[in-house]
Amino acid sequence: MSSVSSVSGSGYSPYSVIANGGTYVRAAQGASELAMQERTKQQVGGLEAGSENLTSAGSALKVEDGAMGEVTGYLQSIRELSVKAMNGTMSDSDKKSIQDQIDQYKKGIEDIANNTTYNEKKLLDGTAKDMTVASDANGSSETISGYNMTLESLGIKDFDVTKDFDLKDVDKALDKLSDSRTGAGAKTNGVEYSLSYNSHAALELDGFQMDKEEKNSVDAYQQLKTKQALDAYKTTLQKKQQDDEERKSMMLFA
């Protein structure tokens, strides 16, 4: 009885633990348990915030890859037209017509490089350097990169089939683009892995916390039942003592 009374007197109440679904809200209910509960909540919160960051990073990577896919299409078309322009039977007028089409494709590439953005950050004009995103509350992070898909960076700014030209310039641009897409793909895999890990870890921590809260509720219910039984026993003893005292008093006056 004294142990239950001392716990109750310290500010612990099984009623509050049960009412809060096994969640501790005061250190008096269990300082170490409360500290562990808060740490678990912080870890879950950090994982959830990190997942939001990673989702945003994944979206940026998808925007990059989609845009670079369009650049790939333009470059392949430029290469096809360049091969046609290598036909020695073509007139200067024919080559001029081909170059006009190539210039349209080059403009399309430049527009993509200058206008591909995510959250107002340009991704393909060479201004976006490495972007680090926190993936949890413990300092882990993922880094995604911006790329440079401008005509100058690709080496085809002055590419002109009406003059002396080298088809290898277009091939080098395609190789550079392929390398960039491979890098972006690897970054995407890393982000997706981290997202999967965060999801799994958060579920594990939530499950752990739910198990602890269920145990806390069971323990609090058992303590409550014990206290109620002891209180009832104490009341019975007090009633018996009162009855005995009343009988003794009556015997004195008999």
Side-chain angles (χ1 to χ4, degrees):
M1 182 171 69
S2 61
S3 61
V4 175
S5 298
S6 63
V7 173
S8 176
S10 68
Y12 175 87
S13 171
Y15 291 102
S16 64
V17 175
I18 295 171
N20 286 292
T23 300
Y24 286 176
V25 295
R26 296 191 303 275
Q29 295 171 323
S32 62
E33 289 282 355
L34 180 61
M36 183 180 296
Q37 175 183 290
E38 292 304 314
R39 282 197 300 270
T40 300
K41 288 182 178 179
Q42 289 172 1
Q43 288 178 318
V44 171
L47 288 168
E48 290 176 345
S51 292
E52 291 182 8
N53 291 344
L54 291 168
T55 298
S56 180
S59 296
L61 287 167
K62 288 178 181 177
V63 170
E64 279 185 345
D65 187 63
M68 286 192 287
E70 293 184 32
V71 174
T72 299
Y74 280 133
L75 285 174
Q76 289 172 343
S77 295
I78 289 173
R79 192 182 194 285
E80 291 173 5
L81 289 172
S82 300
V83 172
K84 287 183 179 181
M86 295 172 71
N87 185 346
T89 64
M90 276 194 171
S91 66
D92 291 342
S93 177
D94 291 334
K95 290 186 178 181
K96 177 66 169 58
S97 295
I98 289 176
Q99 184 59 39
D100 287 344
Q101 186 60 57
I102 288 175
D103 287 340
Q104 289 299 310
Y105 291 147
K106 288 167 64 177
K107 183 179 185 305
I109 292 173
E110 198 71 1
D111 287 343
I112 290 172
N114 291 326
N115 298 320
T116 299
T117 62
Y118 185 80
N119 282 346
E120 300 182 357
K121 184 183 290 291
K122 292 188 175 183
L123 301 176
L124 298 180
D125 69 345
T127 59
K129 305 304 180 183
D130 287 347
M131 296 166 278
T132 301
V133 295
S135 58
D136 59 30
N138 300 320
S140 299
S141 63
E142 290 287 340
T143 301
I144 64 174
S145 303
Y147 297 93
N148 193 338
M149 294 295 114
T150 61
L151 295 175
E152 184 173 0
S153 175
L154 291 173
I156 59 170
K157 182 178 180 180
D158 298 321
F159 187 80
D160 190 339
V161 298
T162 64
K163 303 175 183 178
D164 289 336
F165 69 94
D166 190 344
L167 192 60
K168 290 181 181 179
D169 291 339
V170 181
D171 290 336
K172 289 178 182 178
L174 281 166
D175 288 341
K176 177 176 181 177
L177 185 57
S178 178
D179 289 343
S180 297
R181 294 190 74 181
T182 298
K187 295 292 184 181
T188 299
N189 290 337
V191 166
E192 289 178 350
Y193 175 83
S194 294
L195 270 172
S196 178
Y197 172 82
N198 279 15
S199 177
H200 179 73
L203 284 174
E204 289 289 330
L205 288 170
D206 279 334
F208 169 78
Q209 185 58 33
M210 289 176 65
D211 289 342
K212 292 293 294 182
E213 290 172 0
E214 182 178 359
K215 182 179 183 300
N216 292 342
S217 294
V218 171
D219 290 345
Y221 180 75
Q222 291 175 343
Q223 291 170 0
L224 179 61
K225 297 300 290 184
T226 299
K227 183 178 184 303
Q228 289 173 339
L230 290 174
D231 288 344
Y233 179 66
K234 181 179 179 181
T235 300
T236 300
L237 286 179
Q238 290 175 340
K239 182 67 168 60
K240 187 176 182 302
Q241 289 174 351
Q242 290 175 354
D243 291 343
D244 289 344
E245 289 175 0
E246 289 179 1
R247 281 196 296 271
K248 289 179 182 179
S249 178
M250 292 177 65
M251 289 177 64
L252 289 175
F253 291 99

